[in-house]
């Protein structure tokens, strides 16, 4: 043990990320699959961003938030996957203590931003469908920017809280992280000191981060559903359900995996399941989001096609 451990509060200078698989053949398969997933995710989300930027019809609050979500998805997968691919190529599994904390900070920053941005998107749908006459004033560009800025502030507070709290723990023994990136539940298992306060903090903040947005989203969609069912136009009802259905699908995928991962702690047997949830959070969700929002949305499909062929809409 490092004699300076007492002053540095940690004897561990690096962690060993065990990754998803152990055998070399399977590691090659994982490398190819994750490289493909990364390229598809970045390409898909950049396409959505390009479509929103160049298509005048998509210069609306809903697509402003969707563009922000696409940027977040690119950031979320970039925080974890390229580093994992680099370790697979170099056949090294180590990550420094500082790099581990940085990865954890940025992951929770972007995931927290996702929470609040999905809530802002639900509020936007509520105003558009339930308050159409005042929608343009209630969801002005200033309001949109305020919602995004507040979301970033809350996400930053969340990420800083967990990262600073983690630095108070001592790591002086095992340093093997049974995951492919640094995250709180797995690091708690390696701490030499008590993690009870950290686990309570994670549960409490997680409850607020998930509970408050979910409550607001459910409330918004109760009003939206009531308003849509009162519509006489079948076409209007279909369009409303299409845009809201895409958002609800993303919400269910995001919060479902997030609640499973962070709202239950202390189960070492769940480590392999955590890897699956981690893949869903960092790879599958960001990769599916462009598909979900474009499959049932003719406006996005048309804009994507015009981006691909290099033409802009005349309207």
């Amino acid at each position: 043990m490092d004699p300076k451990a007492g002053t540095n509060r940690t004897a561990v200078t690096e962690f060993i990320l065990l990754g998803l698989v152990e055998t070399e053949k399977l590691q090659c398969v994982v490398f190819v699959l994750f490289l493909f997933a990364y390229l598809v995710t970045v390409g898909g989300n950049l396409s959505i961003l390009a479509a929103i930027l160049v298509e005048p019809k998509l210069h609306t609050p809903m697509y402003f938030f969707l563009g922000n979500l696409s940027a977040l998805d690119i950031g979320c997968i970039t925080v974890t996957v390229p580093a994992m691919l680099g370790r697979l190529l170099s056949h090294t599994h180590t990550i420094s203590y500082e790099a581990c904390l940085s990865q954890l900070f940025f992951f929770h920053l972007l995931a927290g931003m996702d929470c609040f941005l999905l809530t802002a998107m639900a509020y936007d749908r509520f105003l558009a469908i339930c308050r159409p006459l005042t929608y343009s004033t209630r969801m002005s560009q200033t309001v949109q920017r305020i919602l995004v800025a507040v979301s970033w502030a809350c996400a930053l507070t969340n990420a800083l809280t967990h990262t600073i709290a983690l630095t108070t723990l001592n790591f002086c023994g095992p340093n093997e992280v049974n995951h492919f990136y640094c995250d709180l539940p797995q690091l708690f298992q390696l701490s030499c000191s008590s993690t009870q306060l950290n686990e309570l903090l994670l549960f409490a903040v997680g409850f607020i981060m998930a509970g408050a947005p979910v409550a607001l989203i459910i409330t918004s969609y109760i009003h939206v559903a009531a308003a849509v069912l009162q519509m006489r136009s079948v076409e209007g009802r279909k369009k409303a359900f299409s845009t809201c259905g895409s958002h609800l699908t993303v919400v269910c995928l995001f919060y479902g995996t997030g609640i499973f991962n962070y709202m239950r702690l202390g189960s070492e047997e769940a480590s392999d399941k955590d890897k699956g949830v981690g893949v869903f959070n960092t790879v599958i969700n960001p990769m599916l989001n462009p598909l979900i929002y474009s499959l049932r949305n003719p406006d996005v499909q048309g804009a994507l096609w015009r981006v691909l062929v290099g033409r802009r809409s005349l309207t």
Side-chain angles (χ1 to χ4, degrees), residues 157-168:
T157 302
N158 170 65
L160 280 174
T161 298
H162 290 308
T163 306
I164 292 171
L166 189 68
T167 61
T168 64

Side-chain angles (χ1 to χ4, degrees), residues 1-313:
M1 185 181 294
D2 190 343
K4 297 181 181 180
T7 56
N8 289 343
R9 299 189 63 82
T10 180
V12 172
T13 58
E14 63 182 20
F15 294 102
I16 299 172
L17 294 171
L18 297 181
L20 293 171
V21 292
E22 295 180 4
T23 62
E24 191 169 338
K25 287 184 178 179
L26 286 177
Q27 286 178 358
C28 292
V29 174
V30 168
F31 178 86
V32 172
L33 289 176
F34 274 66
L35 177 61
F36 175 76
Y38 181 72
L39 294 175
V40 168
T41 301
V42 173
N45 282 289
L46 283 177
S47 298
I48 294 286
L49 276 171
I52 292 170
L53 288 172
V54 305
E55 178 58 54
K57 285 174 64 177
L58 301 185
H59 293 172
T60 63
M62 182 177 76
Y63 294 108
F64 170 76
F65 292 126
L66 179 57
N68 277 272
L69 185 66
S70 293
L72 283 176
D73 286 338
I74 294 171
C76 193
I77 196 171
T78 301
V79 166
T80 55
V81 170
M84 186 194 77
L85 295 176
R87 286 190 295 272
L88 287 173
L89 272 181
S90 61
H91 300 286
T92 59
H93 299 281
T94 58
I95 181 172
S96 69
Y97 177 81
E98 292 78 13
C100 188
L101 287 182
S102 297
Q103 186 180 59
L104 183 142
F105 169 78
F106 284 108
F107 178 73
H108 281 269
L109 173 68
L110 296 171
M113 181 60 186
D114 252 332
C115 284
F116 297 109
L117 191 62
L118 289 171
T119 310
M121 293 173 77
Y123 178 63
D124 171 71
R125 291 299 82 206
F126 163 75
L127 290 180
I129 295 171
C130 301
R131 304 288 187 271
L133 297 179
T134 58
Y135 175 65
S136 59
T137 54
R138 291 192 180 191
M139 193 51 75
S140 63
Q141 286 191 351
T142 302
V143 173
Q144 295 168 43
R145 289 166 184 161
I146 289 173
L147 286 172
V148 170
V150 170
S151 297
W152 275 115
C154 293
L156 179 63
T157 302
N158 170 65
L160 280 174
T161 298
H162 290 308
T163 306
I164 292 171
L166 189 68
T167 61
T168 64
L169 298 179
N170 294 323
F171 296 93
C172 53
N175 66 339
E176 291 187 345
V177 180
N178 192 17
H179 216 322
F180 65 96
Y181 64 93
C182 291
D183 205 2
L184 292 169
Q186 290 73 34
L187 292 175
F188 288 165
Q189 294 176 9
L190 303 180
S191 175
C192 302
S193 49
S194 173
T195 61
Q196 186 176 5
L197 287 177
N198 296 75
E199 292 187 13
L200 286 173
L201 180 66
L202 178 58
F203 188 87
V205 174
F207 185 81
I208 295 170
M209 291 280 292
V214 165
L216 291 171
I217 290 170
I218 291 173
T219 302
S220 296
Y221 274 109
I222 288 173
H223 288 89
V224 167
V228 170
L229 291 174
Q230 291 176 1
M231 289 182 179
R232 295 181 179 179
S233 168
V234 176
E235 189 63 30
R237 193 181 298 180
K238 183 180 177 182
K239 187 175 181 180
F241 274 128
S242 175
T243 55
C244 294
S246 300
H247 179 249
L248 277 175
T249 303
V250 172
V251 167
C252 290
L253 289 172
F254 178 79
Y255 281 103
T257 53
I259 288 171
F260 178 87
N261 203 30
Y262 298 111
M263 299 307 284
R264 54 107 191 98
L265 292 170
S267 174
E268 294 189 18
E269 294 79 9
S271 293
D272 289 335
K273 292 180 181 178
D274 289 341
K275 291 181 184 180
V277 174
V279 171
F280 221 94
N281 280 335
T282 61
V283 181
I284 305 298
N285 280 351
M287 186 169 62
L288 286 180
N289 284 353
L291 194 63
I292 291 170
Y293 278 107
S294 61
L295 267 183
R296 300 175 62 186
N297 193 318
D299 290 336
V300 174
Q301 290 173 6
L304 285 172
W305 175 250
R306 281 186 285 275
V307 167
L308 291 173
V309 299
R311 290 188 301 173
R312 294 184 63 175
S313 172

